[in-house]
Amino acid sequence: MNILSVASEVYPLVKTGGLADVVGALPAALVPHGIRTRTLVPGYPAVLQKLKKKKKVAGFDNLFGHPASVLGAEIDGLDLLVLDQPALYARDGGPYLDATGRDYPDNFRRFAALSLAAAEIAGDNVIPGWKPDIVHVHDWQTALTPVYMHFGAARDTPSVMTVHNIAFQGQFGASIFPELGLPPEAFSMQFVEYYGDVGFLKGGLQTATAITTVSPSYAQEILTPEFGMGLDGLLASRVTDLSGIVNGIDADTWDPQKDPHIARHFGNGTLKQRAVNRKALEERFALEKGKGPIFCVVSRLTWQKGMDLLAEVVDDIVALGGKLVILGSGDAALEGTLLAAASRHRGHIGMVTGYDEALSHLMQAGSDAIIIPSRFEPCGLTQLYGLRYGCVPIVARTGGLADTIIDANEAALSAKVATGFQFAPITAGGLRLAIRRAFRAYSEPKVWARLQNQGMKSDVSWAKSAERYASLYSGLLAKG
Ligand code: ADP
């Protein structure tokens, strides 16, 4: 089976979030199922520079006003198709924002072009001798693909639309519609019209053959007004085509037995070695030495991530004899509040602002627990790293957090399946109670070690999820 995967970012070439990880990791995990994936991404400078051997495999005389080429290349086992159109992608900034942090004003054109190119490739003979059986698109940037397919040669090819975060929808004023090259009837409820605007994600959700999101719980949540961000009604009308498949993690990069970023390697049978990482962490964050648990937070500092709730419980953590280390950046006010807490509790709370991949590994290896109080979380990755590193997750009961962590309630503890702590309601009070439960468990070393061991045994690899994608694809083909 041949898949055309279409995305605005792919690890290891260009990454701003979990989307890139999924798009980068899934193709290899699908190979054992006999599925070959080609991944179409824009030819940003960061992408073109990293391609070694590239070959033009297709071309467009006029794609949104300019000629464009499709370059074929292989990198890290990924079979890439790179849409080379300098007028749209040869820019100094990131994939979406210019160097000053503003959205490119022509983002609608940049990503409509990507979507149109994908739809054309899915049709006949654009790439001689190759055509996908299924087109899989990710997030709003590629969501017009199924719409273009509907009005083009690939009308009968099934498509899958994956939503990584429904908060980002690609909504633009109606005045851009004529530029999209879609027939007038596409500006309607059945396609891209969205409260009088053009909605890219809306169009994709309306038109794709199947819809997925990155956890079963999030798939349920986005059917409600609270989480659906205006698209809950549409999704409810497509509920039989909607499913949730959790992400896996890159098990090579995140392996405590060979991680180059940590002070001492360890595994399930050698948890005691974590003490060396704890010491390194204490030094890095200038913490006083002591016996209590060290909690960590590695996160964007935003309302979504519940960082205001964290700020409300820091005094309790210290009062109960714990320590807290924070790595993150984001909202300036939240950053200020947490920095103030760190200076109020010098030696007990440490904070590093900014993005530091290596430090994030040491924090998972040296802390006892990771706190993730997100108000919504489509899947979440840091709790999965925590499981793998014996860093017990304390998570809000939402989305992928609810689906991947087994709460240490009495039944789960006695069945020896618990891997962390969940809390609800998602309030400071809820989080405070979960932290108290964690302190209690930590005071019983056997209970704590069991939580760590169960977590480390959890399967957080891509294997299971790839199996689900493979069976979704097969189902679509069987349906014809
Ligand atoms: P989201 O994509 O919503 O930010 P995820 O949990 O899905 O949340 O993924 C976040 C990823 O970014 C994880 O790999 C996490 O370790 C990493 N991360 C977040 N903040 C930082 C930071 N300040 N420094 C290093 N890594 C970070």
Side-chain angles (χ1 to χ4, degrees), residues 32-323:
H33 300 275
I35 295 172
R36 292 199 44 209
T37 307
R38 297 186 98 170
T39 306
L40 177 71
V41 291
Y44 312 116
V47 171
L48 291 172
Q49 280 154 20
K50 287 180 198 137
L51 304 181
K52 289 199 185 89
K53 277 196 208 144
K54 52 189 178 234
K55 190 173 123 203
K56 182 169 170 178
V57 295
F60 300 101
D61 295 335
N62 182 351
L63 186 71
F64 282 74
H66 300 271
S69 306
V70 179
L71 308 175
E74 265 204 44
I75 189 161
D76 284 0
L78 280 170
D79 187 349
L80 288 177
L81 296 171
V82 176
L83 182 62
D84 187 15
Q85 217 235 46
L88 295 178
Y89 307 124
R91 310 263 167 108
D92 282 343
Y96 319 115
L97 307 177
D98 67 18
T100 68
R102 280 196 208 118
D103 282 318
Y104 296 114
D106 58 349
N107 270 347
F108 74 89
R109 202 177 295 123
R110 299 170 74 232
F111 295 113
L114 179 67
S115 302
L116 178 57
E120 294 282 321
I121 290 170
D124 285 323
N125 268 329
V126 173
I127 298 179
W130 190 83
K131 194 168 120 81
D133 299 299
I134 291 176
V135 177
H136 188 164
V137 305
H138 300 267
D139 275 353
W140 75 263
Q141 293 89 348
T142 59
L144 284 191
T145 307
V147 181
Y148 283 120
M149 286 167 70
H150 179 87
F151 291 104
R155 189 188 172 107
D156 295 328
T157 304
S159 54
V160 177
M161 160 98 247
T162 296
V163 180
H164 296 262
N165 189 338
I166 207 158
F168 305 110
Q169 301 188 353
Q171 193 173 346
F172 302 94
S175 61
I176 69 145
F177 180 74
E179 271 208 58
L180 298 179
L182 286 164
E185 67 260 38
F187 192 70
S188 65
M189 284 269 285
Q190 284 71 44
F191 297 101
V192 303
E193 191 270 330
Y194 187 45
Y195 298 112
D197 285 343
V198 172
F200 277 39
L201 185 65
K202 190 264 178 176
L205 294 176
Q206 194 75 262
T207 324
T209 320
I211 301 167
T212 73
T213 183
V214 287
S215 67
S217 285
Y218 193 60
Q220 291 298 311
E221 288 165 357
I222 57 179
L223 292 168
T224 66
E226 190 187 348
F227 293 94
M229 309 260 172
L231 289 167
D232 38 291
L234 188 171
L235 287 165
S237 74
R238 300 220 50 200
V239 69
T240 52
D241 302 314
L242 170 68
S243 57
I245 302 176
V246 288
N247 295 334
I249 65 170
D250 181 335
D252 273 339
T253 309
W254 290 92
D255 180 353
Q257 312 220 46
K258 60 176 199 209
D259 188 330
H261 304 302
I262 66 179
R264 177 68 60 86
H265 293 154
F266 62 95
N268 230 329
T270 51
L271 273 172
K272 288 219 162 66
Q273 302 297 325
R274 290 183 98 256
V276 180
N277 295 308
R278 178 185 170 114
K279 192 157 173 284
L281 200 63
E282 285 169 343
E283 280 164 16
R284 179 71 193 262
F285 283 91
L287 298 181
E288 283 174 16
K289 302 229 164 2
K291 282 210 155 66
I294 299 182
F295 298 86
C296 76
V297 169
V298 179
S299 183
R300 289 188 284 120
L301 305 179
T302 62
W303 182 87
Q304 180 205 329
K305 297 289 181 183
M307 289 295 111
D308 51 321
L309 307 180
L310 175 76
E312 288 192 52
V313 303
V314 291
D315 294 345
D316 299 76
I317 291 176
V318 176
L320 290 165
K323 308 248 167 40

Side-chain angles (χ1 to χ4, degrees), residues 254 274 293-299 307 310 317 323-327 360 363-373 381-396 401 405 419-423 431 434-435 438 448:
W254 290 92
R274 290 183 98 256
I294 299 182
F295 298 86
C296 76
V297 169
V298 179
S299 183
M307 289 295 111
L310 175 76
I317 291 176
K323 308 248 167 40
L324 172 67
V325 289
I326 304 167
L327 169 62
S360 75
M363 289 169 76
Q364 297 274 9
S367 310
D368 298 292
I370 180 161
I371 302 176
I372 312 169
L381 290 173
T382 54
Q383 84 279 16
L384 303 179
Y385 304 148
L387 289 176
R388 196 115 208 270
Y389 279 63
C391 182
V392 176
I394 300 172
V395 303
L401 300 173
I405 303 303
T419 57
F421 301 89
Q422 291 193 359
F423 67 92
L431 174 57
I435 286 172
W448 194 262

